[in-house]
């Protein structure tokens, strides 16, 4: 499972590099919840991210609203605040005190700053999946997960690829139709192969020994 995640992570990183120009040195934007979960479980954020990013250089970034939120929450998140102050670059996010809104504003509609985002907020992640070109991390139990590109990112990435290749609209639609047909053919083949290999149990006849007449 670990090797599979690593392979998928490399593909995801390559996808964002090719299609959206997200390249080293990376900027990883963290929210307060992510830092709190990591520090609570003694997760080495630098080491985990370094593995996912192939050993390339990166820096950690937090919105000023995150620092303010951690300060308000006090002692329960003291370790997270200490980490943010010592290890993260603080970027101004305007007047918003809401961390979610602050991060959304920093990402905008196209992630112009090329941030990678690490957040435990599912609603925020769902919002960012709708913005093309936003790599996402979150912690599940004690494992740092690197999400596959969202449907929105894949759609925009494919459109840019067609544009680079000089495809017209009709050619693009033809290619997409052929890809859809191939997917359906593969699915049908898997269904047929599965049916062919399925073992059909034959109805058992009566036990021959039970047919013998009992001795009188």
């Amino acid at each position: 499972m670990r090797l599979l995640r690593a392979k998928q992570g490399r593909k995801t990183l390559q996808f964002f590099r090719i299609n959206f120009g997200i390249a080293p040195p990376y900027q990883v934007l963290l929210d307060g919840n992510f830092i709190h979960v990591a520090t609570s479980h003694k997760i080495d954020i630098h080491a985990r991210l370094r593995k996912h990013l192939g050993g390339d250089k990166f820096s950690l970034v937090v919105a000023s609203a995150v620092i303010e939120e951690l300060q308000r929450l006090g002692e329960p998140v003291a370790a997270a605040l200490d980490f943010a102050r010592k290890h993260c670059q603080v970027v101004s996010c305007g007047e918003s005190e809401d961390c979610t809104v602050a991060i959304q504003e920093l990402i905008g509609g196209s992630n112009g700053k090329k941030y990678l985002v690490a957040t435990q907020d599912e609603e925020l992640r769902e919002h960012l999946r709708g913005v093309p070109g936003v790599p996402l991390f979150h912690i599940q139990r004690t494992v740092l997960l690197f999400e596959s590109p969202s449907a929105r990112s894949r759609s925009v990435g494919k459109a840019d690829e067609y544009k680079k290749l000089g495809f017209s609209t009709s050619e693009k639609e033809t290619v997409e139709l052929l890809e859809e047909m191939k997917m359906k053919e593969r699915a049908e083949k898997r269904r047929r192969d599965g049916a062919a290999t399925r073992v059909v149990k034959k109805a058992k006849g009566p036990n021959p020994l039970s047919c013998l007449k009992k001795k009188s």
Side-chain angles (χ1 to χ4, degrees):
M1 182 63 74
R2 188 176 298 175
L3 292 174
L4 183 62
R5 282 200 300 265
K7 183 178 180 181
Q8 183 59 46
R10 288 193 295 272
K11 287 184 177 180
T12 298
L13 201 59
Q14 184 180 38
F15 171 87
F16 284 111
R17 184 178 297 171
I18 293 172
N19 292 286
F20 298 98
I22 298 176
Y26 301 107
Q27 295 187 89
V28 186
L29 184 61
L30 314 178
D31 75 355
N33 283 331
F34 179 88
I35 301 172
H36 174 59
V37 170
T39 53
S40 297
H41 290 87
K42 309 297 183 185
I43 295 172
D44 188 332
I45 295 176
H46 286 98
R48 298 290 181 90
L49 284 172
R50 191 174 295 111
K51 285 184 179 180
H52 281 288
L53 300 178
D56 290 323
K57 291 183 178 180
F58 65 92
S59 58
L60 303 181
V61 180
V62 293
S64 54
V66 169
I67 297 293
E68 293 166 5
E69 179 187 57
L70 293 174
Q71 288 174 332
R72 287 195 300 272
L73 293 173
E75 185 58 31
V77 295
L81 178 59
D82 183 61
F83 180 92
R85 283 173 167 167
K86 288 181 178 178
H87 301 283
C88 302
Q89 174 190 350
V90 181
V91 294
S92 176
C93 55
E95 298 180 358
S96 177
E97 295 183 357
D98 187 307
C99 295
T100 298
V101 173
I103 291 173
Q104 289 175 356
E105 290 177 350
L106 286 171
I107 297 300
S110 61
N111 192 20
K113 295 288 187 181
K114 311 296 184 186
Y115 287 122
L116 294 81
V117 180
T119 173
Q120 294 301 103
D121 188 331
E122 174 55 34
E123 289 186 8
L124 176 58
R125 292 205 303 275
E126 186 60 33
H127 170 83
L128 296 178
R129 290 181 190 116
V131 179
V134 184
L136 294 172
F137 291 96
H138 70 277
I139 295 169
Q140 185 172 303
R141 295 177 182 168
T142 58
V143 178
L144 178 62
L145 299 180
F146 190 9
E147 290 192 14
S148 297
S150 67
R152 178 65 174 149
S153 289
R154 290 196 303 272
S155 175
V156 172
K158 185 172 287 187
D160 288 345
E161 183 181 351
Y162 288 148
K163 188 175 180 180
K164 290 175 185 176
L165 293 171
F167 282 14
S168 65
T169 302
S170 60
E171 288 172 330
K172 171 177 170 289
E173 290 174 350
T174 300
V175 171
E176 290 178 344
L177 179 61
L178 289 172
E179 289 180 349
E180 185 179 347
M181 290 173 64
K182 285 182 180 178
M183 288 178 64
K184 288 181 178 179
E185 287 175 1
R186 286 195 292 267
E188 178 62 21
K189 185 176 183 300
R190 286 195 299 269
R191 188 191 67 78
R192 290 198 303 268
D193 291 346
T197 56
R198 192 177 298 119
V199 176
V200 179
K201 293 184 178 180
K202 295 182 179 180
K204 293 182 179 180
N207 186 340
L209 294 177
S210 66
C211 298
L212 296 176
K213 292 183 179 181
K214 292 181 180 181
K215 293 180 179 180
S216 55

